[in-house]
């Protein structure tokens, strides 16, 4: 759902539709404009990234922070948090530039003044590294890595005061899920605000990236017409 939600008000991002996918149900949401969320969601890519890579990444960051604590014993929690944020930002930027070069996805519209390689097929908005790398992935790292002496995360606070004995693991999952759902909502709302100021597009948008999204190539403008900039031409 990340792609369609980022594109809720204006299409700026798309996956490669050559991936096995089932399309998206975004356009069935009341109020969603036609051809705005035509962004195929690559199911196996999502499974690989979110069910395997992210958890393994958090475990790797946790092990690395333990190494830092051993070798820099005077570092405090603020220093560790700053270290994690820099690490997650760099990881996101480097990782996404690799996927752009591989043709996995494209940022078809970006804010040119705050992006790498604006106006090229590999343009990358640096605010993506901030809001996703530091915001979402960094938040995941902080929640997982800064556990207490009993191995409890911040989302587990108050669990001991509950009288129930069974189902506590399920409640831990629910509380963690609630935190990330709220964080994702803030992420999507903020991204859609920034999208309205995106002023730079690619020179060409391949058909397997365009996927009939409005405002791209020869497709009709999105209602309302958010930009007066000439849409990028599709490459067939």
């Amino acid at each position: 759902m990340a792609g369609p939600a980022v594109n809720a008000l204006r299409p700026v991002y798309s996956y490669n539709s050559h991936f096995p996918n089932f399309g998206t149900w975004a356009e069935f949401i009341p109020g969603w404009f036609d051809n705005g969320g035509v962004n195929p969601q690559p199911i196996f890519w999502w499974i690989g990234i979110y069910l395997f890579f992210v958890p393994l990444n958090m475990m790797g960051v946790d092990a690395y922070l333990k190494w830092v604590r051993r070798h820099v014993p005077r570092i405090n929690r603020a220093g560790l948090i700053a270290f994690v944020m820099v690490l997650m930002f760099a990881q996101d930027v480097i990782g996404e530039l690799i996927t752009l070069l591989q043709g996995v996805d494209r940022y078809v519209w970006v804010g040119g003044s705050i992006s790498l390689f604006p106006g090229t097929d590999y343009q990358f908005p640096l605010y993506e590294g901030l809001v996703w790398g530091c915001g979402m992935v960094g938040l995941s790292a902080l929640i997982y890595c800064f556990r207490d002496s009993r191995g409890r995360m911040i989302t587990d606070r108050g669990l001991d005061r509950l009288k129930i004995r069974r189902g506590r693991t399920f409640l831990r999952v629910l509380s963690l899920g609630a935190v990330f759902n709220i964080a994702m909502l803030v992420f999507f709302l903020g991204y859609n605000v920034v999208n309205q100021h995106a002023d730079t597009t690619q020179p060409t948008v391949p058909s397997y990236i365009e996927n009939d999204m409005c405002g791209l190539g020869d497709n009709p403008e999105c209602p309302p017409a958010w930009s007066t900039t000439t849409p990028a031409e599709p490459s067939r």
Side-chain angles (χ1 to χ4, degrees):
M1 187 60 188
V6 164
N7 295 339
L9 297 180
R10 180 184 182 189
V12 297
Y13 175 82
S14 184
Y15 284 109
N16 188 326
S17 60
H18 286 158
F19 277 114
N21 69 85
F22 299 101
T24 175
W25 46 268
E27 289 189 290
F28 296 100
I29 300 174
W32 212 286
F33 55 80
D34 293 338
N35 290 344
V38 188
N39 185 345
Q41 302 298 287
I43 182 66
F44 296 114
W45 173 262
W46 277 69
I47 290 174
I49 290 294
Y50 295 107
L51 293 186
F52 293 98
F53 175 74
V54 171
L56 290 174
N57 188 27
M58 296 305 99
M59 295 171 66
V61 172
D62 187 46
Y64 195 51
L65 286 184
K66 290 178 180 177
W67 182 89
V68 171
R69 287 190 182 102
R70 289 197 303 269
H71 289 79
V72 190
R74 297 182 62 183
I75 191 169
N76 58 20
R77 177 162 293 195
L80 289 172
I81 291 174
F83 180 81
V84 168
M85 290 303 170
V86 171
L87 181 63
M88 294 299 97
F89 177 81
Q91 177 183 263
D92 184 78
V93 172
I94 294 171
E96 296 225 30
L97 287 176
I98 291 173
T99 62
L100 288 173
L101 289 171
Q102 293 175 328
V104 171
D105 53 359
R106 291 281 180 87
Y107 291 90
V108 294
W109 284 95
V110 300
S113 62
I114 46 177
S115 299
L116 296 177
F117 316 118
T120 72
D121 290 339
Y122 309 110
Q123 58 186 12
F124 175 76
L126 289 173
Y127 45 86
E128 166 71 13
L130 289 174
V131 296
W132 183 258
C134 297
M136 293 304 303
V137 183
L139 176 64
S140 303
L142 295 181
I143 290 176
Y144 179 74
C145 297
F146 290 96
R147 304 184 301 277
D148 62 21
S149 58
R150 299 174 60 189
R152 299 287 181 88
M153 298 180 289
I154 190 172
T155 53
D156 298 326
R157 289 185 178 180
L159 190 65
D160 292 333
R161 294 197 297 269
L162 297 179
K163 296 181 180 180
I164 62 172
R165 293 184 176 276
R166 295 182 179 180
R168 289 195 171 193
T169 299
F170 181 65
L171 289 177
R172 294 181 70 189
V173 172
L174 286 181
S175 63
L176 186 61
V179 169
F180 283 117
N181 273 282
I182 294 173
M184 289 293 286
L185 178 61
V186 173
F187 167 77
F188 290 138
L189 290 175
Y191 219 110
N192 277 279
V193 171
V194 174
N195 287 348
Q196 308 317 307
H197 303 282
D199 55 10
T200 305
T201 188
Q202 302 179 200
T204 59
V205 182
S207 58
Y208 53 84
I209 293 293
E210 173 202 313
N211 300 313
D212 295 326
M213 287 195 295
C214 62
L216 297 178
D218 297 327
N219 301 330
E221 286 294 323
C222 301
W226 292 102
S227 176
T228 58
T229 305
T230 302
E233 293 294 328
S235 62
R236 302 292 181 180

